[in-house]
Amino acid sequence: MWKFELPWMVALLPLPILVAWLVPPYRAMALALRTPFFHEMADAAGERPSPGGVRLRRNWLQWLLLPLVWLLVVMAAARPVHVEAPITRETPARDLMLAIDLSQSMGTTDFVSAATGERTDRLTAVKHVVADFIAKRRGDRIGLVVFGDAAYPQAPLTLDHDSVMILLDQMQIGMAGPRTAIGDAIGLTVKLLADSKAPEKVLILLTDGNDTASKIPPDQAARIAKEHGLVIHTIGIGDVDATGEDRVDLAALQRISKATGGRSYQAFGREQDLADVYTQLDRLTPERIKQEVYRPQTEYFWIPLGLALLIVTTYHLCALLIAIIRGAARRRIVAGAAHGN
């Protein structure tokens, strides 16, 4: 559609009328020279002098063009624009990090595959379930963190979920070390999300053991995460009856999630149980899309302004041409008269 950005400028249309009505005519005093043959000169010039001064008269073309030029100038000042169809841009409103334990105990074959019914190791079950979870989150930026003896970024935050899938598939048991550093995984996630402008930041942390290698205690890391607006959901998939490092500390995971406003889950033995946990997390943290709608505008003030300049320029060029022609004709008349005498 078309519109004027400054429609109030149309109020200037009657300004020339007000000026002609309220402002007195311009008068100037000038020296005069009395000549005995003034009327003969005026007749030769085609003018009819009025006593006491000279008033410049407008011709019919000026009366026609002046209002048109003023109308075009006012239209240009009002800034006509053409508003295009609205364009909607969608941007993710949530950054989602997945932290996955790659300690040696993730190779334990105590999970039953939902597809084949066969026993499989914990990491393989996690890969299947997390891949399905990522496939549902097309509107979120997703990143991966892996941890063992220390925490490492596996995939940066990105909307390229296909790349995240590839990096997920490349994860191997023990590639980050045999032990478990839960606190370091949380600390690394806080650092990776430090520059995030997303309204919501979420970490889903999955582990099958207890923290044995972190430089920063998990409880302290959870408090830091809360200060940075990071919500942590925890998932324990280890053996609660195991001893030492292989025993999953569900109480510690609950403290971490509770401290940050998240939830704690557990899944033992069946891949389907783990899938159900991620389904609950999918409902708990639905996709958040921020829509920005804007309408492109194209300025067209230059069209009426250009027309006004073209009209004024053309008029003056024509006037100049006519004056040249008239001047040449008068010189011929004067020369003929002088030759006759």
Side-chain angles (χ1 to χ4, degrees), residues 241-255:
D241 296 324
T243 58
E245 187 173 331
D246 293 338
R247 177 181 175 274
V248 62
D249 191 349
L250 296 180
L253 296 179
Q254 289 174 357
R255 290 196 302 271

Side-chain angles (χ1 to χ4, degrees), residues 130-141:
V130 171
D132 291 338
F133 178 78
I134 293 174
K136 301 175 183 177
R137 313 294 299 196
R138 291 297 174 184
D140 292 334
R141 289 202 305 170

Side-chain angles (χ1 to χ4, degrees), residues 58-92:
R58 295 190 179 96
N59 56 46
W60 64 272
L61 191 56
Q62 288 179 322
W63 285 108
L64 177 65
L65 294 182
L66 285 176
L68 178 59
V69 169
W70 178 247
L71 174 63
L72 291 172
V73 170
V74 171
M75 286 182 61
R79 290 181 57 194
V81 297
H82 184 256
V83 183
E84 307 290 342
I87 296 177
T88 302
R89 182 175 61 185
E90 295 184 345
T91 56

Side-chain angles (χ1 to χ4, degrees), residues 22-102:
L22 299 176
V23 177
Y26 174 74
R27 299 178 183 274
M29 301 295 292
L31 295 176
L33 179 65
R34 296 180 60 86
T35 58
F37 48 87
F38 175 76
H39 290 286
E40 288 78 2
M41 293 175 59
D43 292 338
E47 298 288 344
R48 291 185 180 180
S50 58
V54 176
R55 176 179 296 177
L56 297 178
R57 297 188 301 274
R58 295 190 179 96
N59 56 46
W60 64 272
L61 191 56
Q62 288 179 322
W63 285 108
L64 177 65
L65 294 182
L66 285 176
L68 178 59
V69 169
W70 178 247
L71 174 63
L72 291 172
V73 170
V74 171
M75 286 182 61
R79 290 181 57 194
V81 297
H82 184 256
V83 183
E84 307 290 342
I87 296 177
T88 302
R89 182 175 61 185
E90 295 184 345
T91 56
R94 177 185 290 116
D95 283 341
L96 181 62
M97 294 294 295
L98 304 175
I100 299 176
D101 187 352
L102 293 183

Side-chain angles (χ1 to χ4, degrees), residues 6-338:
L6 304 174
W8 55 269
M9 295 294 291
V10 178
L12 297 177
L13 279 175
L15 183 62
I17 300 176
L18 295 176
V19 171
W21 179 35
L22 299 176
V23 177
Y26 174 74
R27 299 178 183 274
M29 301 295 292
L31 295 176
L33 179 65
R34 296 180 60 86
T35 58
F37 48 87
F38 175 76
H39 290 286
E40 288 78 2
M41 293 175 59
D43 292 338
E47 298 288 344
R48 291 185 180 180
S50 58
V54 176
R55 176 179 296 177
L56 297 178
R57 297 188 301 274
R58 295 190 179 96
N59 56 46
W60 64 272
L61 191 56
Q62 288 179 322
W63 285 108
L64 177 65
L65 294 182
L66 285 176
L68 178 59
V69 169
W70 178 247
L71 174 63
L72 291 172
V73 170
V74 171
M75 286 182 61
R79 290 181 57 194
V81 297
H82 184 256
V83 183
E84 307 290 342
I87 296 177
T88 302
R89 182 175 61 185
E90 295 184 345
T91 56
R94 177 185 290 116
D95 283 341
L96 181 62
M97 294 294 295
L98 304 175
I100 299 176
D101 187 352
L102 293 183
S103 62
Q104 207 66 43
S105 57
M106 288 292 286
T108 306
T109 56
D110 58 356
F111 266 75
V112 177
S113 172
T116 64
E118 299 177 353
R119 297 183 71 82
T120 184
D121 63 81
R122 296 171 180 173
L123 181 59
T124 300
V126 169
K127 285 183 178 181
H128 291 162
V129 173
V130 171
D132 291 338
F133 178 78
I134 293 174
K136 301 175 183 177
R137 313 294 299 196
R138 291 297 174 184
D140 292 334
R141 289 202 305 170
I142 295 180
L144 290 177
V145 168
V146 297
F147 60 97
D149 287 345
Y152 306 94
Q154 176 73 355
L157 281 169
T158 179
L159 286 171
D160 184 4
H161 295 174
D162 291 335
S163 297
V164 177
M165 294 282 202
I166 293 173
L167 293 169
L168 173 69
D169 186 61
Q170 291 176 350
M171 294 191 308
Q172 300 294 327
I173 296 170
M175 65 183 292
R179 296 187 296 169
T180 306
I182 296 175
D184 289 355
I186 297 173
L188 176 61
T189 302
V190 171
K191 183 177 180 180
L192 293 174
L193 295 176
D195 297 327
S196 172
K197 304 299 182 182
E200 292 188 26
K201 295 177 284 188
V202 177
L203 168 63
I204 299 177
L205 185 145
L206 181 144
T207 183
D208 69 342
N210 61 77
D211 189 274
T212 56
S214 288
K215 296 181 178 63
I216 177 173
D219 291 339
Q220 182 180 349
R223 289 194 295 270
I224 295 174
K226 180 176 177 59
E227 293 173 0
H228 287 79
L230 177 63
V231 177
I232 303 176
H233 302 296
T234 59
I235 305 174
I237 63 170
D239 186 355
V240 293
D241 296 324
T243 58
E245 187 173 331
D246 293 338
R247 177 181 175 274
V248 62
D249 191 349
L250 296 180
L253 296 179
Q254 289 174 357
R255 290 196 302 271
I256 292 171
S257 58
K258 184 177 180 180
T260 61
R263 296 190 182 184
S264 182
Y265 300 89
Q266 56 191 40
F268 308 121
R270 292 197 314 155
E271 186 177 309
Q272 184 58 48
D273 294 340
L274 182 59
D276 291 341
V277 170
Y278 276 93
T279 299
Q280 292 181 52
L281 288 170
D282 185 53
R283 297 195 193 102
L284 186 64
T285 57
E287 285 184 280
R288 287 284 305 276
I289 302 294
K290 183 170 65 175
Q291 293 187 341
E292 298 178 356
V293 180
Y294 67 98
R295 301 181 70 127
Q297 295 185 357
T298 305
E299 297 270 2
Y300 285 98
F301 70 90
W302 54 272
I303 292 180
L305 184 60
L307 286 174
L309 291 174
L310 179 62
I311 291 172
V312 172
T313 303
T314 303
Y315 175 82
H316 283 286
L317 288 176
C318 292
L320 177 62
L321 181 60
I322 292 172
I324 293 173
I325 294 173
R326 285 182 176 177
R330 288 171 182 169
R331 283 194 294 275
R332 284 196 300 272
I333 293 173
V334 171

